[in-house]
């Protein structure tokens, strides 16, 4: 049995190549079907903007073929799917086998292999990849079990560590800061001044969190209306935005202006008029839109782009510090997966089967041994052992004789044997003991 | 027979609180996963141990432990822990335990060190009204203590947010609005209990003593505490005062009530000292 991962990611390949090999859902479906027909026993493809990876299980015959030849054939399938005529640089691809491939997939799922450390989107992309494989009938018992283990690793990493905690983009950092001041944004209102890209993104994040009311103002009114259209809210004239300062709880400002559009003195008056109700101001303008001294006004929380970048940096540092803990989870789960895998090898299964029968035999003999004479006891041992051997003979021969059987069929057969005789339980107990 | 368990618990309780605080600290500052799992069970063990101590002590000395300042300190410690435990279960916010539990630890440590065994209690203390008065006062005081801790945490987070320091305080504490809401809820509860304690106390006083000076230092002190909280809550309710100022007032209120409970009780003579 040979499981492998073949792929490119943001560390090994330039953007052009990643773009070339990015596969849509339909293309993934086409590629996995081709790979299964021509080369593999089971396969799934994860394709995102930062990586395209083939996870596959080689067939019995394919394991004996030259590795490089197989890689070239798989690359040819990818080229065919994407209709790329030129050759794809082999040097950008990594090929990982067995345990290394499983570990790689686990790491990808936890987000520690992502460009944005602790990325949470990758797990849903992996889920989608397995769903496509399942609907294309390229998911067998091996990848099915691997899929479950992968989800489990990712879930553990997110719940047991802080790998996905804290905002790692400026717009999310702004929302994070808001949520450190207000308990529930659905009862708050926000004012967006200007139609800058980051400001708009911040407003979108706030809307996604269910902001109570959104007010947008811009020198060009139509741009403000474009922002409000999908998000909901109201548009006010740019000249009238100051009136809103006493009403809203959050202000996001991203106006291009050589001077401060709001001074400390103005904001002191605003705070007085709003009975010093807390006001969060996110100043995304460069040069800054709000006079920095306004930070000193009571209950006014003013943050500029540098402050937001500080939040991002701190969170990234925190996520980096979590990598060893995530790796420890990956190794733990890898051991468990390897143990399951080992149990699906022929010889351990035969040994487990024999041990299982022998245990039943010896227990039953022990129960009734006192009813027999010394001479009969020896005979009983002998006869019972012979019965067990005869019962297991055909099963043992069939299990060993698996030439030409597809890898996934072999796994399925071994799984059935283990389930029928309750051998999975003994394997789980072994794992538990460890 | 009963003495030994009471003595053992008296010595063990400060250690039990210390271990609980240490585990809460490990969870807060080091984000240590086993500490996160262990902290609430430990808190419940400490609380159960403390309740057992109070019950055993009441049986052993045939009166509830409310007759000396050090007995009262133990009751306050228990009451703060119980209130915090309830808040933790109700809100699911477990990150403030380290700060809150420092109070019961301090109160219990002082109580365990100086507590005396009083088998004989003055008859004046054997009154149901007095029992109600003390219970209300202790609940009120515990609520003020918790509000003051939340107020302090609010100020810490407020300062961190103002200067743009995004460390552990920023990461682990609940948001400002939640802290303020919790402090306000505790202050309103505390004010209600204190009002009840004053009313019951005045009724009991007129029934028990013939010539009582209403300028007794403890009465004046308690009235002052009631006034501070009354002004604060009125300012919040009517004027809409909120944020930093109201949290400072909450801390000032607690310090005043602490002064009223300890310093006046120990250093000023008056009818309110019964021991």
């Amino acid at each position: 049995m040979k499981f492998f991962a073949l792929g490119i990611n943001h560390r090994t390949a330039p953007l052009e190549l990643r773009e070339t090999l990015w596969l849509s859902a339909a293309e993934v479906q086409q590629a996995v079907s081709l790979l299964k027909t021509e080369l593999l026993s089971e396969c799934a493809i994860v394709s995102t903007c930062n990586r395209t990876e083939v996870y596959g299980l080689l067939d019995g015959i394919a394991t004996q073929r030259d590795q490089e030849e197989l890689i070239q054939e798989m690359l040819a399938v990818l080229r065919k799917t994407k209709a790329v005529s030129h050759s794809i640089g082999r040097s950008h691809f990594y090929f990982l086998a067995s345990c290394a491939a499983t570990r790689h997939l686990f790491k990808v799922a936890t987000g520690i292999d992502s460009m944005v450390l602790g990325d949470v989107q990758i797990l849903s992309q992996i889920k989608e990849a397995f769903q496509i494989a399942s609907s294309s009938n390229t998911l067998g018992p091996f990848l099915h079990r691997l899929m479950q283990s992968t989800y489990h690793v990712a879930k553990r990493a997110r719940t047991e560590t802080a790998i996905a905690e804290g905002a790692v983009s400026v717009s999310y950092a702004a929302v994070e800061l808001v949520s450190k001041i207000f308990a529930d944004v659905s009862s708050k209102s926000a004012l967006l001044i200007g139609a800058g890209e980051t400001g708009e993104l911040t407003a979108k994040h706030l809307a996604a969190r269910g902001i109570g009311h959104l007010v947008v103002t811009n020198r060009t009114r139509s741009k403000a209306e474009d922002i409000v259209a999908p998000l909901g809210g109201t548009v006010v004239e740019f000249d009238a935005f100051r009136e809103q300062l006493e009403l809203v709880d959050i202000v996001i400002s991203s106006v291009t202006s050589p001077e401060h559009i709001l001074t400390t003195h103005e904001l002191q008056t605003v705070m007085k008029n709003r009975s010093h109700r807390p006001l969060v101001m996110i100043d995304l303008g460069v040069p800054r839109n709000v006079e920095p001294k306004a930070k000193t006004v009571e209950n006014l929380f003013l943050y500029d782009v540098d402050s937001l970048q500080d939040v991002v940096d701190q969170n990234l540092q925190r996520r980096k510090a979590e990598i060893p803990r995530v790796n420890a989870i990956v190794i733990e789960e890898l051991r468990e997966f390897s143990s399951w895998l080992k149990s699906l090898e022929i010889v351990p299964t035969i040994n487990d089967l024999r041990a299982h029968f022998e245990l039943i035999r010896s227990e039953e003999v022990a129960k009734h041994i006192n009813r027999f004479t010394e001479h009969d006891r020896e005979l009983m041992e002998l006869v019972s052992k012979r019965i067990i051997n005869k019962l297991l003979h055909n099963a043992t021969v069939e299990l060993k004789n698996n030439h030409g059987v597809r890898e996934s069929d072999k796994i399925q057969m071994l799984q059935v044997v283990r389930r029928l005789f309750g051998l999975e339980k003994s394997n789980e107990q072994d794992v538990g003991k460890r | 027979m009963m003495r030994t368990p009471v003595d053992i618990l008296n010595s063990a309780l400060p250690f039990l609180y210390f271990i609980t605080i240490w585990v809460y600290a490990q969870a807060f500052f080091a984000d240590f996963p086993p500490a996160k799992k262990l902290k609430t069970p430990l808190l419940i063990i400490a609380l159960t141990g403390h309740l057992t101590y109070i019950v055993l002590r009441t049986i052993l000395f045939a009166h509830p432990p409310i007759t000396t300042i050090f007995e009262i300190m133990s009751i306050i410690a228990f009451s703060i822990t119980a209130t915090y435990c309830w808040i933790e279960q109700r809100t699911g916010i477990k990150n403030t335990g380290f700060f809150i539990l420092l109070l019961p630890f301090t109160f219990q440590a002082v109580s365990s060190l100086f507590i005396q065994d009083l088998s004989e209690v003055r008859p004046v203390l054997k009154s149901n009204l007095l029992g109600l008065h003390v219970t209300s006062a202790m609940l009120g005081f515990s609520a003020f203590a918790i509000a003051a801790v939340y107020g302090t945490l609010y100020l810490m987070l407020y300062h961190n947010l103002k200067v743009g320091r995004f460390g552990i305080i920023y990461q682990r504490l609940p948001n400002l609005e939640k802290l303020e809401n919790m402090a306000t809820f505790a202050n309103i509860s505390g004010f209600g209990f204190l009002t009840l304690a004053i009313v019951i106390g005045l009724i009991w006083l007129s029934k028990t003593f013939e010539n009582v000076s209403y300028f007794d230092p403890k009465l004046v002190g308690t009235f002052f505490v009631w006034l501070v909280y009354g002004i604060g809550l009125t300012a919040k309710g009517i004027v809409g005062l909120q944020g930093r100022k109201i949290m400072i007032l909450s801390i000032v209120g607690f310090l005043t009530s602490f002064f009223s409970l300890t310093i006046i009780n120990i250093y000023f003579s008056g009818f309110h000292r019964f021991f």
Side-chain angles (χ1 to χ4, degrees):
Chain A
M1 186 192 306
K2 198 169 185 185
F3 171 62
F4 71 89
L6 171 71
I8 51 163
N9 65 21
H10 55 281
R11 274 192 290 270
T12 66
L15 182 61
E16 293 76 29
L17 182 57
R18 297 197 317 262
E19 275 173 348
T20 309
L21 285 183
W22 176 80
L23 304 169
S24 67
E27 286 168 336
V28 168
Q29 201 159 14
Q30 188 191 337
V32 287
S33 301
L34 270 172
L35 284 167
K36 192 180 176 192
T37 313
E38 294 176 12
L39 293 161
L40 306 172
S41 179
E42 298 178 32
C43 71
I45 295 177
V46 177
S47 188
T48 73
C49 52
N50 283 323
R51 69 179 69 242
T52 294
E53 289 172 338
V54 177
Y55 292 94
L57 189 68
L58 287 171
D59 246 341
I61 313 148
T63 49
Q64 290 155 20
R65 288 179 59 189
D66 178 55
Q67 182 179 298
E68 204 49 45
E69 197 183 308
L70 275 167
I71 293 170
Q72 288 303 337
E73 282 185 44
M74 283 187 273
L75 294 186
V77 169
L78 291 180
R79 271 206 311 273
K80 192 175 169 186
T81 311
K82 290 298 290 184
V84 178
S85 53
H86 57 85
S87 71
I88 305 168
R90 163 71 179 95
S91 59
H92 296 297
F93 283 83
Y94 41 85
F95 182 84
L96 304 163
S98 307
C99 202
T102 312
R103 187 172 55 217
H104 177 73
L105 177 61
F106 285 177
K107 281 186 171 182
V108 171
T110 58
I112 58 171
D113 196 58
S114 297
M115 186 184 251
V116 178
L117 185 62
D119 177 27
V120 286
Q121 271 187 330
I122 187 70
L123 183 62
S124 51
Q125 287 161 333
I126 290 175
K127 280 183 179 173
E128 198 190 341
F130 279 122
Q131 270 161 12
I132 294 172
S134 175
S135 62
S136 311
N137 290 321
T138 63
L139 206 67
F142 177 85
L143 280 185
H144 190 266
R145 172 68 190 239
L146 181 66
M147 173 186 82
Q148 287 173 334
S149 298
T150 306
Y151 296 167
H152 187 59
V153 175
K155 191 184 170 192
R156 279 192 64 193
R158 272 158 186 68
T159 52
E160 293 175 27
T161 74
I163 192 67
E165 278 179 21
V168 286
S169 72
V170 166
S171 54
Y172 265 121
V175 179
E176 185 185 300
L177 276 165
V178 166
S179 67
K180 268 288 160 192
I181 291 154
F182 299 125
D184 178 19
V185 291
S186 67
S187 60
K188 308 294 174 203
S189 51
L191 168 68
L192 174 63
I193 309 169
E197 195 186 332
T198 316
E200 190 184 339
L201 212 53
T202 309
K204 276 182 183 166
H205 294 327
L206 283 172
R209 292 245 180 141
I211 187 85
H213 185 61
L214 180 67
V215 183
V216 183
T217 185
N218 193 51
R219 287 196 180 103
T220 314
R221 191 184 166 91
S222 62
K223 281 189 179 175
E225 283 167 345
D226 288 346
I227 293 172
V228 159
L231 303 178
T234 47
V235 174
V236 293
E237 291 301 330
F238 190 77
D239 296 337
F241 83 81
R242 280 176 175 77
E243 293 161 20
Q244 295 293 321
L245 294 174
E246 288 171 22
L247 307 171
V248 299
D249 306 285
I250 303 151
V251 176
I252 306 146
S253 173
S254 59
V255 177
T256 308
S257 165
E259 289 166 1
H260 299 135
I261 60 165
L262 287 166
T263 64
T264 307
H265 180 69
E266 270 179 300
L267 287 168
Q268 272 168 341
T269 314
V270 165
M271 290 308 284
K272 200 177 165 189
N273 291 343
R274 51 187 287 138
S275 306
H276 289 275
R277 201 156 38 85
L279 178 66
V280 185
M281 299 196 81
I282 309 289
D283 183 358
L284 298 167
V286 179
R288 284 179 280 190
N289 297 160
V290 184
E291 193 182 344
K293 233 176 85 181
K295 262 185 182 174
T296 55
V297 178
E298 193 172 334
N299 286 343
L300 189 146
F301 301 91
L302 173 62
Y303 301 102
D304 55 28
V305 277
D306 276 3
S307 321
L308 298 174
Q309 193 55 50
D310 282 348
V311 175
V312 170
D313 291 346
Q314 291 261 1
N315 287 338
L316 276 173
Q317 282 303 319
R318 207 166 141 225
R319 286 188 181 194
K320 268 184 198 159
E322 291 296 300
I323 293 176
R325 284 169 72 183
V326 175
N327 272 326
I329 291 171
V330 166
I331 288 168
E332 252 176 57
E333 294 296 325
L334 198 61
R335 275 192 196 134
E336 190 144 333
F337 186 77
S338 300
S339 161
W340 170 80
L341 208 56
K342 205 177 168 190
S343 75
L344 289 181
E345 285 170 12
I346 306 289
V347 177
T349 304
I350 293 170
N351 288 343
D352 286 350
L353 195 62
R354 289 201 161 271
H356 176 70
F357 273 71
E358 173 56 26
L359 184 72
I360 294 170
R361 187 201 67 79
S362 57
E363 277 176 358
E364 288 304 310
V365 167
K367 264 187 210 170
H368 305 285
I369 200 85
N370 291 335
R371 294 181 187 177
F372 299 92
T373 62
E374 198 65 38
H375 175 259
D376 287 347
R377 283 178 191 176
E378 278 177 28
L379 202 63
M380 191 185 174
E381 279 280 330
L382 202 69
V383 169
S384 61
K385 276 184 181 170
R386 272 187 191 165
I387 293 172
I388 297 299
N389 281 339
K390 286 199 170 181
L391 278 174
L392 287 175
H393 176 73
N394 197 47
T396 310
V397 171
E398 277 301 311
L399 282 171
K400 281 182 179 169
N401 184 21
N402 54 44
H403 295 295
V405 178
R406 285 187 80 117
E407 203 57 43
S408 55
D409 293 340
K410 199 169 81 187
I411 294 172
Q412 206 153 16
M413 181 176 70
L414 289 167
Q415 272 187 320
V416 168
V417 170
R418 291 196 154 268
R419 208 172 299 143
L420 272 177
F421 294 102
L423 303 182
E424 281 172 337
K425 283 178 197 160
S426 62
N427 183 48
E428 277 165 20
Q429 279 164 2
D430 288 347
V431 172
K433 276 178 202 165
R434 255 203 322 278
Chain B
M1 284 293 282
M2 188 88 82
R3 240 203 109 74
T4 315
V6 169
D7 287 344
I8 290 170
L9 278 170
N10 186 49
S11 308
L13 278 176
F15 291 103
L16 207 50
Y17 274 113
F18 180 78
I19 293 165
T20 311
I21 289 171
W22 186 76
V23 172
Y24 267 88
Q26 286 295 312
F28 187 85
F29 294 105
D31 203 20
F32 189 48
K36 281 180 176 174
K37 278 185 188 166
L38 208 63
K39 59 184 184 178
T40 305
L42 261 175
L43 175 69
I44 291 165
I45 290 171
L47 193 65
T48 314
H50 205 150
L51 180 67
T52 314
Y53 169 70
I54 290 168
V55 171
L56 290 179
R57 203 177 167 85
T58 307
I59 298 168
L60 181 66
F61 298 111
H63 67 84
I66 54 167
T67 54
T68 69
I69 183 75
F70 300 112
E71 282 185 344
I72 284 173
M73 277 189 172
S74 182
I75 294 286
I76 291 171
F78 173 76
S79 152
I80 294 172
T81 312
T83 312
Y84 171 70
C85 196
W86 176 73
I87 290 173
E88 192 180 285
Q89 297 303 314
R90 190 170 168 263
T91 61
I93 296 169
K94 298 183 176 189
N95 278 354
T96 54
F98 167 72
F99 303 95
I100 302 272
L101 294 173
L102 282 172
L103 283 173
F105 166 68
T106 312
F107 280 121
Q108 188 53 46
V110 174
S111 168
S112 289
L113 275 175
F114 300 108
I115 200 161
Q116 294 156 344
D117 300 339
L118 285 181
S119 299
E120 300 263 326
V121 180
R122 286 176 57 184
V124 74
L125 296 175
K126 290 177 179 172
S127 154
N128 288 337
L129 267 181
L130 180 70
L132 266 177
H133 164 73
V134 174
T135 308
S136 307
M138 289 309 102
L139 284 171
F141 186 79
S142 304
F144 289 150
I146 287 172
V149 176
Y150 283 135
T152 311
L153 294 179
Y154 180 99
L155 294 182
M156 282 161 69
L157 181 58
Y158 179 93
H159 178 71
N160 275 254
L161 283 165
K162 275 296 225 181
V163 300
R165 196 179 295 148
F166 308 113
I168 282 178
I169 295 291
Y170 167 83
Q171 285 163 9
R172 308 268 157 82
L173 283 184
N175 58 59
L176 283 181
E177 198 173 9
K178 218 169 251 178
L179 284 170
E180 187 177 344
N181 288 345
M182 291 200 286
T184 306
F185 177 72
N187 276 331
I188 291 170
S189 312
F191 185 69
F193 282 122
L194 184 65
T195 309
L196 193 68
I198 291 172
V199 172
I200 296 171
L202 288 174
I203 296 168
W204 173 76
L205 208 57
S206 59
K207 280 186 176 178
T208 315
F209 300 100
E210 281 180 3
N211 297 315
V212 172
S213 164
Y214 287 92
F215 290 99
D216 177 87
K218 186 66 191 285
L219 275 187
V220 174
T222 307
F223 179 71
F224 188 68
V225 171
W226 186 83
L227 206 63
V228 169
Y229 280 99
I231 291 169
L233 291 171
T234 311
K236 187 166 175 59
I238 296 172
V239 188
L241 191 68
Q242 56 179 304
R244 194 171 146 267
K245 277 184 183 146
I246 203 90
M247 290 300 107
I248 291 173
L249 209 56
S250 167
I251 296 165
V252 170
F254 170 70
L255 291 176
T256 317
S257 60
F258 183 75
F259 176 78
S260 163
L261 183 87
T262 54
I263 311 293
I264 292 179
N265 248 343
I266 294 168
Y267 296 108
F268 292 82
S269 59
F271 82 91
H272 219 278
R273 280 191 72 185
F274 304 110
F275 45 88

